[in-house]
């Protein structure tokens, strides 16, 4: 879609994309990509200053009409409020990118329930609700694109530490597959995108950047490549599951061949995500001992010592799980 052509001839057909989590990482890369493709944008996340910066950048570079709507998607009322704000502005959503998310490290029973409930809300309920709000409108117009950012973690059947993450990502993957089937003849294309480790603020927020920087360079994906894979797949109605990068394509294939119970037993030995963030800690009433979290910081999930980092450390962002507006 080229902006000039559409603006000069059929302005009513200008398409608009809603991107959640557009203030950083993959969401911001998605905003840049779709702006270059000629889409107008509705950018949402919590950090207003960051979103405004992205909006300014893209309207300057591509003439994009970028609307900023802040929302905290851990609030159960946020999806309906967002939809109401979009309608009030006379906008419609032709392309939905459900991207906002994060990981909460730590063993399930050591992390406060409200922290995990918030994660379920933003990464499952809000994803489903936004599809439920905007999908029917897209189908009624005969055009729509829904890109749900899942993860290669969706293929991992059980993980010691960070138990919710593969669970919510598997939900996103399955939901996307079902919607792709339901919308098969409606002109609405749906994909679940499954990146592996991707450069973004994700691991800074999870508090494991130093540990993750020890991973070899070939395990890291670049956000813009993840985005272009996702966009090309949804346009061509490929998938509906898109795994990014050859390393993760191989991994996802292997994980689907090996019986879940075998992997589950191996995963039970890992402690990769066991280091709890102090702000998420549940009051220490759990008596049974866990493996030391310091150990996990120097070991890879397979138990071997981590190799020295070959990948240059990217700019790290010091933030807590509850992000401040540091835009
Ligand atoms: N990076 C990876 O290695 C990787 C791998 C596989 C999948 N993923 C998935 O990719 C997606 C994007 O992650 P990323 O890597 O780009 O991480 P990121 O750089 O940390 O960006 C996360 C985005 O989510 C937004 N967000 C966080 N909490 C929010 C809330 N309560 N309400 C609204 N927005 C919120 C953040 O904005 P504010 O802080 O301004 O609200 C930010 O824009 C996530 O779903 C993640 O699970 C990432």
């Amino acid at each position: 879609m080229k902006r000039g052509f559409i603006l000069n001839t059929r302005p009513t057909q200008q398409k608009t994309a809603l991107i959640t989590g557009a203030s950083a990482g993959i969401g911001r890369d998605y905003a840049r990509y779709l702006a270059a493709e000629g889409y107008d944008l509705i950018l949402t996340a919590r950090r207003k200053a960051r979103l405004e910066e992205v909006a300014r950048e893209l309207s300057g570079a591509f003439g994009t009409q970028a609307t900023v709507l802040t929302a905290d998607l851990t609030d159960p009322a946020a999806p309906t409020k967002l939809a109401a704000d979009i309608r009030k502005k006379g906008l419609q959503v032709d392309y939905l990118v459900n991207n906002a998310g994060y990981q909460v490290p730590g063993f399930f029973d050591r992390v406060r329930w409200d922290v995990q409930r918030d994660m379920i809300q933003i990464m499952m309920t809000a994803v489903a609700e936004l599809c439920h709000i905007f999908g029917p409108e897209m189908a009624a117009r005969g055009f729509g694109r829904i890109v749900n950012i899942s993860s290669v973690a969706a293929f991992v059947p059980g993980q010691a530490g960070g138990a919710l993450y593969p669970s919510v990502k598997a939900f996103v993957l399955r939901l996307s597959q079902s919607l792709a089937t339901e919308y098969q003849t409606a002109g609405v294309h749906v994909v679940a995108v499954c990146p592996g480790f991707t450069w973004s603020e994700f691991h800074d927020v999870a508090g494991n950047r130093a540990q993750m920087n020890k991973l070899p360079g070939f395990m890291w994906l670049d956000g813009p490549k993840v985005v272009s894979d996702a966009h090309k797949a949804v346009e061509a109605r490929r998938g509906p599951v898109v795994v990014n990068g050859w390393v993760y394509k191989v991994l996802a294939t292997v994980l689907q061949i090996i019986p879940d119970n075998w992997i589950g037993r191996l995963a039970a030995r890992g402690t990769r995500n066991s280091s709890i963030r102090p702000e998420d800690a549940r009051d220490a009433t759990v008596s049974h001992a866990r493996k030391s979290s310091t150990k996990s910081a120097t070991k890879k999930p397979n138990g071997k010592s981590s190799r020295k980092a070959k990948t240059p450390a990217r700019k790290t962002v010091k933030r807590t799980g509850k992000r401040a507006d540091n835009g």
Side-chain angles (χ1 to χ4, degrees), residues 195-321:
F197 300 127
T198 305
W199 290 113
S200 71
E201 298 175 10
F202 184 86
H203 295 103
D204 304 296
V205 175
N208 58 1
R209 169 61 64 201
Q211 184 189 350
M212 298 309 293
N213 277 349
K214 292 177 184 157
L215 290 175
F218 70 84
M219 294 196 73
W220 287 96
L221 302 171
D222 274 317
K225 178 72 172 81
V226 169
V227 168
S228 76
D229 287 352
H231 179 71
K232 285 174 190 160
V234 79
E235 279 305 304
R237 216 166 119 227
R238 282 203 304 272
V241 177
V242 179
V243 179
N244 304 90
W246 67 267
V247 173
Y248 297 105
K249 282 186 171 63
V250 171
L251 182 66
T253 306
V254 170
L255 287 172
Q256 286 173 96
I257 293 169
I258 302 175
D260 281 4
N261 288 345
W262 293 10
I263 303 170
R265 273 178 223 130
L266 283 177
R269 297 182 195 166
T271 55
R272 181 163 64 87
N273 293 313
S274 63
S275 299
I276 205 164
R277 296 180 303 194
E279 68 269 30
D280 297 339
R282 177 187 198 166
D283 289 340
T285 50
V286 183
S287 56
H288 50 281
R290 299 290 195 194
K291 284 185 186 173
S292 142
S293 60
T294 358
K295 214 172 179 183
S296 72
T298 54
K299 294 267 186 178
K300 292 206 289 183
N302 61 8
K304 291 178 185 162
S305 295
S306 299
R307 278 166 45 186
K308 199 168 164 53
K310 283 189 181 153
T311 318
R314 300 285 167 106
K315 187 181 163 200
T316 57
V317 181
K318 202 176 171 198
R319 255 187 289 121
T320 61

Side-chain angles (χ1 to χ4, degrees), residues 11-152:
T12 54
Q13 298 234 330
Q14 179 64 32
K15 303 286 190 236
T16 302
L18 166 63
I19 303 173
T20 73
S23 61
I26 295 170
R28 184 171 52 190
D29 289 333
Y30 223 117
R32 288 175 173 146
Y33 189 95
L34 289 184
E37 287 286 305
Y39 279 81
D40 283 335
L41 300 172
I42 302 163
L43 305 173
T44 188
R46 290 166 301 176
R47 288 170 293 172
K48 192 173 184 194
R50 281 283 200 102
L51 294 172
E52 286 174 344
E53 196 181 303
V54 178
R56 264 196 308 277
E57 173 198 325
L58 299 180
S59 69
F62 305 105
T64 309
Q65 186 194 311
T67 304
V68 167
L69 293 173
T70 52
D72 183 342
L73 289 171
T74 61
D75 175 359
T80 42
K81 164 102 175 43
L82 196 55
D85 289 346
I86 289 169
R87 284 188 200 113
K88 247 185 255 161
K89 289 188 178 290
L91 299 170
Q92 68 181 36
V93 174
D94 305 293
Y95 195 128
L96 168 64
V97 184
N98 269 314
N99 162 77
Y102 49 83
Q103 186 185 34
V104 175
F107 285 111
F108 183 72
D109 59 2
R110 289 289 188 93
V111 177
R112 288 201 328 270
W113 176 245
D114 61 309
V115 171
Q116 306 199 64
R117 186 192 56 213
D118 283 354
M119 186 177 174
I120 292 171
Q121 179 64 37
I122 180 176
M123 293 169 79
M124 281 174 56
T125 312
V127 169
E129 194 172 355
L130 289 172
C131 291
H132 192 259
I133 292 170
F134 295 112
E137 297 175 7
M138 293 176 186
R141 292 191 296 267
F143 178 94
R145 304 288 181 258
I146 298 177
V147 175
N148 292 326
I149 306 296
S150 174
S151 166
V152 80

